[in-house]
Amino acid sequence: MKKTFRYRLHGLAMDPRDTSDPVEKALRDWRIDPRALVQATITRESVDARKSKPVKRFTLELVTDRPFHRHMLEPLGDPKPEPDDLLSGSLALPERVHVVGSGPCGIACAIALAEKGYRVVLHERGADLATRILAARRFIKGADLDPETNFLFGEGGAGTFTDGKLTTRTRNRLVQAALKQWVDVGEDPSIQWRAKPHLGTDRMRVLVAGLRRRFESLGGEFRFLSRLEDFEVRSGKVASATFSGKTESVEALVLAIGHSARDTLEMLAARGVGFEAKDFAVGVRIEHPQEMIDRRQYGPKADTGVLGAAEYFLSCKTQAGPGAHSFCMCPGGEVLPTTTDSRELATNGMSFRARAGTWANSGFVVPVHRQELTTWAARNGVPDDVWTGVNFQRKLERDAYAMGGGGFRAPAQRAGDFLDGKVGQDLPESSYARGLAPSDLTTLLPEFVSSELAKALVDFDRKIPGFIRHGLMIAPETRTSSPLRVPREAATLAVPGVEGLYALGEGAGWSGGIVTSAADGLRLADRAVARR
Ligand SMILES: Cc1cc2nc3c(=O)[nH]c(=O)nc-3n(C[C@H](O)[C@H](O)[C@H](O)COP(=O)(O)OP(=O)(O)OC[C@H]3O[C@@H](n4cnc5c(N)ncnc54)[C@H](O)[C@@H]3O)c2cc1C
């Protein structure tokens, strides 16, 4: 392999109105021959609005085919070898593979397997994209919840109605391959090198449609309203599966079911699939006027037409407890009821590409570790086992539904009232369309969650003045990540003891977010031998 050289380049500053390519500017300003460039990634991108003239600042990682010695160009060592490289293309799967779930993980896996020559059937319990968009619109306007087609289930999975932030902490080969798969179906190539690409739900829908076209053009078969209900193992191998009442023989079953299909998770446990508990986080969605966040982050004179709606990420460590942090912030977005059960309520945030909405919302959550779950189980007189996390989430969601008074009205409280122990009836306007019920959230949330949120509010208000005064807390945020993980064999990714059964993505506890879920889907396809 030809030797390459890796560098980090700090301090590239650009006028926010300048829409030219930051990589091209960096090569020009640092006198790097563009022909020497092998790869470029923007690893950090921020707006510095403290000065009278705001600037955008970038940190880049450059790989070149020859060495360069320049001011502010920091040489980096060789990248760590990725274990996946060793295993690429060595796993023989049967010719026909059934993938369950069309979220970012399932569709990425299905396309990559079809590209390798497999006959892939993709089962999705919910409806196709167009039907789903109509169902979501009706639900938001007050219709009953369809438990199969909603903000979490249906074509594109939980990824469709999201903020569409494509941020990841890692940029490994599979992440790059996932982004490339999206570029190949028409997404903007800049998602491959930008630090914080944002699509919004409108572009996510275009992407979801493009991925389906690609899958079907490869001969893939998409089956909607096809829910995996059961499967049978004979002599340690997957032998058949039942999809919406129809049983067929199946040799390879890939589960990419997300973390909200609790019925399917329970069915898997009943069939002997092992689970282990993992940490997650719960709390509320907190909403503020976007204009207030813009003013605090950019200063009073900043032009958001040029800079875009302002973001924040906040975290607070506390001495005795698990602390709290903001999660999945949606500038200019809206708060949604993201649930699949008509007795449960959970919230999350979505935005459109323009991020032009009146409000900023963010998850405002407290990590939940084993220790907190054990205490909670003892206090509530319930068993403490691998399912405690799921039961903890479910109880919070049911209590929230009841506290809201039904109809998916969400319990809500001003942040100031939450700290003062008051239930103010004068809730501010909100993006949450199903209505809010003035509530005392300290009686809903477990004590350790309320007390950590209270401490964090004071801390966040120091960092963004007005965070308390203008903050509206909408409960609950419970599905930040899966409380469970399915162990899998390192070499084959199979569920231990069951040949032909694979558990991938967020529902299996191996990813968190759109991009890493797609990358985990590719992890299996990457290991499969090519059939043509
Ligand atoms: C409102 C919201 C906003 C979000 N915003 C972001 C964001 O901005 N950036 C980000 O990175 N992440 C975001 N996320 C998280 C992201 O959407 C998930 O991490 C990602 O979609 C997980 O991908 P997945 O394919 O593993 O599972 P999912 O997307 O959950 O897909 C699972 C699919 O499996 C199907 N399924 C389940 N059970 C069965 C069954 N028995 N039979 C057949 N099909 C089944 C479901 O219907 C679903 O379509 C957001 C999530 C929500 C809810």
Side-chain angles (χ1 to χ4, degrees):
M1 218 166 77
K2 211 168 164 238
K3 175 137 182 70
T4 53
F5 303 83
R6 281 171 70 231
Y7 300 96
R8 182 173 298 130
L9 192 154
H10 302 275
L12 174 68
M14 286 175 74
D15 184 321
R17 274 172 293 254
D18 185 348
T19 52
S20 61
D21 182 347
V23 176
E24 279 174 19
K25 178 163 168 53
L27 298 183
R28 236 182 3 254
D29 291 3
W30 269 261
R31 291 175 292 105
I32 295 169
D33 183 348
R35 287 167 303 185
L37 187 70
V38 177
Q39 197 189 321
T41 315
I42 298 176
T43 53
R44 238 178 99 84
E45 184 176 340
S46 61
V47 176
D48 185 351
R50 288 165 301 181
K51 308 210 169 60
S52 57
K53 248 179 110 191
V55 282
K56 268 198 166 180
R57 293 194 189 285
F58 300 89
T59 304
L60 282 77
E61 205 175 292
L62 305 176
V63 181
T64 58
D65 67 2
R66 65 197 87 147
F68 289 91
H69 304 282
R70 303 276 190 274
H71 178 55
M72 286 157 69
L73 199 59
E74 177 197 345
L76 301 171
D78 289 336
K80 279 198 211 129
E82 290 177 29
D84 287 314
D85 290 341
L86 306 171
L87 295 156
S88 286
S90 55
L91 178 69
L93 294 176
E95 187 191 352
R96 194 175 167 89
V97 179
H98 291 258
V99 177
V100 183
S102 70
C105 176
I107 188 73
C109 180
I111 290 175
L113 284 174
E115 280 169 346
K116 282 195 164 178
Y118 289 88
R119 290 170 58 212
V120 184
V121 185
L122 181 50
H123 300 265
E124 169 52 57
R125 69 190 292 164
D128 63 278
L129 184 63
T131 311
R132 193 179 174 200
I133 292 170
L134 291 177
R137 238 177 244 157
R138 278 197 298 270
F139 177 54
I140 272 299
K141 289 195 174 144
D144 289 345
L145 177 78
D146 178 339
E148 297 300 314
T149 299
N150 45 55
F151 284 122
L152 299 170
F153 293 167
E155 187 176 358
T160 305
F161 296 95
T162 63
D163 194 37
K165 284 184 287 294
L166 305 185
T167 28
T168 55
R169 264 173 284 170
T170 102
R171 287 276 172 167
N172 64 28
R173 187 174 56 83
L174 292 174
V175 164
Q176 293 294 351
L179 296 171
K180 169 85 171 48
Q181 195 182 62
W182 299 346
V183 171
D184 288 346
V185 300
E187 199 34 79
D188 190 318
S190 71
I191 63 170
Q192 294 171 111
W193 46 263
R194 290 211 86 98
K196 290 192 272 184
H198 163 251
L199 301 188
T201 180
D202 34 354
R203 284 294 312 178
M204 281 303 296
R205 295 172 199 181
V206 175
L207 174 62
V208 165
L211 291 170
R212 176 163 153 204
R213 275 197 302 277
R214 171 76 184 142
F215 175 59
E216 289 177 337
S217 76
L218 293 162
E221 183 188 346
F222 221 127
R223 290 193 204 159
F224 292 106
L225 305 177
S226 179
R227 183 179 64 223
L228 174 71
E229 289 167 344
D230 206 351
F231 70 99
E232 196 193 350
V233 178
R234 267 185 246 130
S235 311
K237 286 186 189 170
V238 171
S240 69
T242 305
F243 299 100
S244 295
K246 286 187 216 113
T247 302
E248 58 187 290
S249 54
V250 164
E251 286 177 88
L253 192 58
V254 179
L255 306 167
I257 58 171
H259 64 37
S260 287
R262 290 179 184 151
D263 54 351
T264 310
L265 294 170
E266 283 160 2
M267 178 276 287
L268 294 172
R271 292 281 163 265
V273 171
F275 287 90
E276 52 192 41
K278 71 178 255 310
D279 294 347
F280 56 103
V282 303
V284 298
R285 274 269 137 189
I286 190 159
E287 193 168 66
H288 296 89
Q290 180 63 49
E291 179 267 326
M292 171 242 152
I293 300 291
D294 292 340
R295 222 174 34 240
R296 299 293 183 218
Q297 297 294 78
Y298 293 151
K301 292 198 195 117
D303 178 356
T304 49
V306 173
L307 298 176
E311 303 169 76
Y312 62 80
F313 172 76
L314 297 167
S315 77
C316 164
K317 287 203 169 66
T318 58
Q319 271 190 340
H325 58 271
S326 62
F327 171 78
C328 189
M329 197 242 157
C330 300
E334 59 193 90
V335 180
L336 298 179
T338 47
T339 181
T340 53
D341 187 306
S342 49
R343 293 157 301 167
E344 295 167 2
L345 176 63
T347 61
N348 209 315
M350 169 185 98
S351 75
F352 286 82
R353 188 170 179 82
R355 286 181 160 167
T358 311
W359 290 279
N361 73 72
S362 171
F364 176 32
V365 295
V366 173
V368 182
H369 306 296
R370 190 71 243 148
Q371 183 193 328
E372 281 91 29
L373 286 179
T374 300
T375 312
W376 176 84
R379 277 206 190 130
N380 287 273
V382 294
D384 183 21
D385 56 23
V386 104
W387 292 90
T388 310
V390 176
N391 294 331
F392 172 89
Q393 285 179 322
R394 188 185 270 143
K395 173 153 176 26
L396 196 44
E397 292 168 7
R398 291 200 173 164
D399 290 352
Y401 187 85
M403 188 175 260
F408 298 98
R409 254 186 319 279
Q413 191 171 23
R414 285 180 187 268
D417 289 347
F418 177 78
L419 290 177
D420 294 344
K422 271 192 347 211
V423 181
Q425 297 301 315
D426 63 328
L427 294 178
E429 265 191 81
S430 161
S431 67
Y432 185 79
R434 296 286 307 229
L436 301 175
S439 306
D440 178 359
L441 297 185
T442 59
T443 63
L444 170 71
L445 300 167
E447 200 280 325
F448 77 93
V449 176
S450 292
S451 67
E452 293 298 284
L453 291 183
K455 285 175 226 159
L457 275 175
V458 176
D459 179 61
F460 292 0
D461 195 66
R462 269 196 294 270
K463 294 166 179 162
I464 302 186
F467 199 85
I468 295 176
R469 186 150 67 89
H470 298 284
L472 173 67
M473 296 162 74
I474 304 172
E477 168 105 11
T478 45
R479 304 195 188 185
T480 48
S481 70
S482 176
L484 296 170
R485 172 171 294 142
V486 181
R488 54 193 192 190
E489 283 172 4
T492 62
L493 300 182
V495 172
V498 191
E499 198 182 316
L501 185 65
Y502 303 92
L504 310 178
E506 194 162 47
W510 289 98
S511 62
I514 299 167
V515 181
T516 54
S517 298
D520 201 48
L522 294 183
R523 183 165 280 124
L524 179 70
D526 184 57
R527 289 171 189 218
V529 294
R531 294 192 70 90
R532 61 173 173 229

